[in-house]
């Protein structure tokens, strides 16, 4: 699982992944969308990996550490539509005591690499306190050339998986 958050007025991306997560095993199904239904994942937000150890520690404590359920994120696929190459998958995301369905679009490469993408809004998950914390903590680092300190509330999400097609 990956994420991209944004800073500065010009919306410069800052991204990363998580080091600790569990995804349930997929089950065999006649279609890819059938195999996706019911998949679950649990992510430890404190295991953030951005390529910058200082940023990792700050985001783990000043953002994910402010969650009602300290840094825990959960996801469960509730529906999927499309084919073996592209489509949509709805994942019920749970964080900070709030659960909401988020629609991801997915594409599958010829090699079987599935990449699903969506955008979430922090405030939909009652994350104002966590947002305020990270914005204040990183105000100097989020001040752009225009002198404005800007932390965006939308976050791009990605989920990558390997799918295997077998014919019988």
């Amino acid at each position: 699982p990956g994420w991209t958050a944004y800073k500065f007025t010009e919306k410069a991306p800052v991204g990363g992944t998580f080091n600790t997560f569990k995804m349930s095993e997929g089950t065999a199904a006649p279609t890819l969308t059938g195999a996706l239904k019911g998949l679950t994942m649990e992510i430890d937000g404190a295991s953030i990996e951005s390529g910058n150890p200082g940023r990792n520690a700050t985001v783990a404590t000043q953002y994910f550490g402010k969650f009602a359920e300290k840094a825990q994120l959960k996801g469960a696929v509730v529906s999927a539509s499309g084919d073996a190459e592209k489509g949509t998958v709805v994942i019920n995301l749970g964080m900070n005591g709030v659960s909401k369905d988020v629609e991801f679009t997915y594409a599958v490469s010829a090699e079987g690499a599935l990449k699903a993408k969506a955008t979430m809004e922090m405030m939909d998950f009652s994350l104002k306190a966590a947002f305020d914390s990270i914005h204040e903590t990183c105000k100097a680092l989020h001040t752009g050339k225009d002198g404005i300190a800007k932390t965006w509330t939308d976050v791009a999400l990605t989920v990558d998986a390997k799918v295997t097609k077998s014919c019988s």
Side-chain angles (χ1 to χ4, degrees), residues 90-129:
V90 176
I91 299 176
N92 182 268
L93 294 179
M95 65 183 89
N96 196 41
V98 177
S99 292
K100 291 217 175 269
D101 289 350
V102 176
E103 185 174 281
F104 287 70
T105 58
Y106 74 82
V108 181
S109 72
E111 295 77 29
L114 181 144
K115 181 177 275 300
K117 299 177 183 181
T119 299
M120 65 157 267
E121 169 57 47
M122 286 186 223
M123 299 310 154
D124 289 347
F125 292 89
S126 299
L127 291 169
K128 182 170 180 3

Side-chain angles (χ1 to χ4, degrees), residues 71-90:
Q72 295 305 304
L73 300 100
K74 295 183 179 185
V77 175
V78 294
S79 67
S81 60
D83 56 33
E85 295 176 3
K86 62 183 177 183
T88 60
V89 60
V90 176

Side-chain angles (χ1 to χ4, degrees), residues 6 62-64 66-67 96 121-123 126-138 142 149-155:
Y6 305 95
Q62 298 302 315
Y63 182 72
F64 289 110
K66 305 298 181 187
F67 281 30
N96 196 41
E121 169 57 47
M122 286 186 223
M123 299 310 154
S126 299
L127 291 169
K128 182 170 180 3
F131 171 80
D132 288 347
S133 172
I134 198 69
H135 178 68
E136 286 303 315
T137 300
C138 298
H142 290 197
K150 177 74 175 172
T151 305
W152 295 78
T153 60
D154 56 323
V155 179

Side-chain angles (χ1 to χ4, degrees), residues 50-61 138 141:
S50 68
N52 179 320
R55 179 186 301 130
N56 295 349
T58 299
V59 175
T61 59
C138 298
L141 296 171

